Amino acid sequence: MSVELGVFIVFVFWLFIFLFVLYKDRRNLFLGISFLATMLFLALYLIFIVVKYANDYSIVYYIGVLGLIGILFIIMVLPLGVALMFFYNSFMIVRREGLKLRNLLSLGTIILLIGYVVWWPSVGRYTYESRILNGVYIYITLVILYFICIGVSYLAASTLNIINLLPRKLDYVVVLGAGLIGERVTPLLASRIRTGIKVYGKHPGSKLIMSGGQGADEVVSEAFAMKNYAFEQGVPEGDIIMEDKSTNTEENIKFSKRLMKDVNSRFALVTNYYHVYRALILAKTLGFRCIGYGAPTKFYFTLNAFIREFIGYLYLKRKIHGIVITILTILFILVITVIEILSS
C-alpha cells in the first residue's frame, strides 16, 4: 500500500468520525478534534498528490507552488499577525473597559505563548544533562501542549457550533440576559435580542423567551427590560415569555426549559459568539438538546471574553481533564522509571 493511499484512508476515517459527531451531537470537544484531524490529513494527502504528479501535469505543479507559498505565508506571517491581534485587543479592552484583572487575559495569554515558543526551548539546554530534570522538562512541555491542543480544539468546536445549516423547526428561542443600564438593555444585550428576533422570525409560530433575573444592583429584571426592547422592535407581546428568576447561565437554561409547554420542544440559545459553546455544553450537562446562535460582538471585546469562556470550560470539565492529566502523569512516571532501571 502506497503512502498516499494510507494517508487517504486515515483522512476518510477522521472524516467519518467528524460527520458522525456532527450528526450525533456536535456539542462535543471531539467535534473540534476530529475536524482538525480531518483537515490535517486532507492537507497531507494533497501534498503527496502534488509531489507525485507535479512532473507530469503542469497545473498540479503550479498548484503545488501556490500551496507552498501559502504554507510559508502561514508559518512566517500568521504568528506575527496573531501576536499583534492579541496586543491590539489587550490595549483596546483596557482602554475602553478599564485596567482590571479580567481584562488582562488576552495580554497574559500572548505573553505566556511567546514565552513558551521563545524562552522555554532554552530551558531544555540546562536540564539536558540530568535525566530526572530532563524528564520533568519534557513532562511540563507535554502538559502545556495538551492544553494548547485543547484550546485550539475548543476554538474549532465553538466555531462549528454557531454554524446552523438547515436547522429544524424551532418552538422557542431563548435569549440569555447580560446586565442592564438602569431599565435599559446594554448594547451587548441588545445585540443578543436582535439576533434572537431574527431567529424567531425565521420560525413562524415560535416564541421568544427572555431569560434573566434581577441583580442586586438592577432596578428591574433583565427579562423585563429585554421584553420591552423586543416589543419596541415589533415583536408581538403575546410571543414574548419572561423568565425572570435566573442568576447565571445554567439557571437561564434550566428555568427557561420549565416554561416550555412540551418537554420535547425544540429550542435555540442566543448569546454572544464567544459564549455560545459553553452555554450549549451546560445545556447538554442538564440533559437538554438544543442549538445555539451567536450575536455580533465588538471585536476588541471578543478575544478576551473567549479566553474567559475557555477558562470557564476547563473548570466545568475539570474532572475529565484532571483524569487525563493524572493518567498521562502516571504513564510518564512509569516510562521514566523503566528507563532508569534499564540504564542502571
Side-chain angles (χ1 to χ4, degrees), residues 62-91:
Y62 290 119
I63 290 173
V65 171
L66 290 174
L68 180 61
I69 293 172
I71 292 172
L72 290 174
F73 176 82
I74 291 173
I75 293 174
M76 298 174 65
V77 178
L78 186 61
L80 178 61
V82 170
L84 291 175
M85 181 184 68
F86 267 85
F87 282 117
Y88 171 77
N89 273 266
S90 302
F91 171 76

Side-chain angles (χ1 to χ4, degrees), residues 27-30 33 143 146-147 150 154 277 281-282 284-285 310-329:
R27 299 170 299 173
N28 192 317
L29 190 66
F30 207 68
I33 295 172
V143 170
Y146 169 79
F147 282 108
I150 292 298
Y154 181 87
Y277 186 52
I281 292 175
L282 281 169
K284 182 178 180 180
T285 303
F310 176 62
I311 294 172
Y313 160 79
L314 290 177
Y315 180 77
L316 181 66
K317 297 292 184 178
R318 59 191 180 280
K319 290 184 180 178
I320 294 175
H321 295 296
I323 291 171
V324 172
I325 293 297
T326 300
I327 293 173
L328 291 176
T329 303

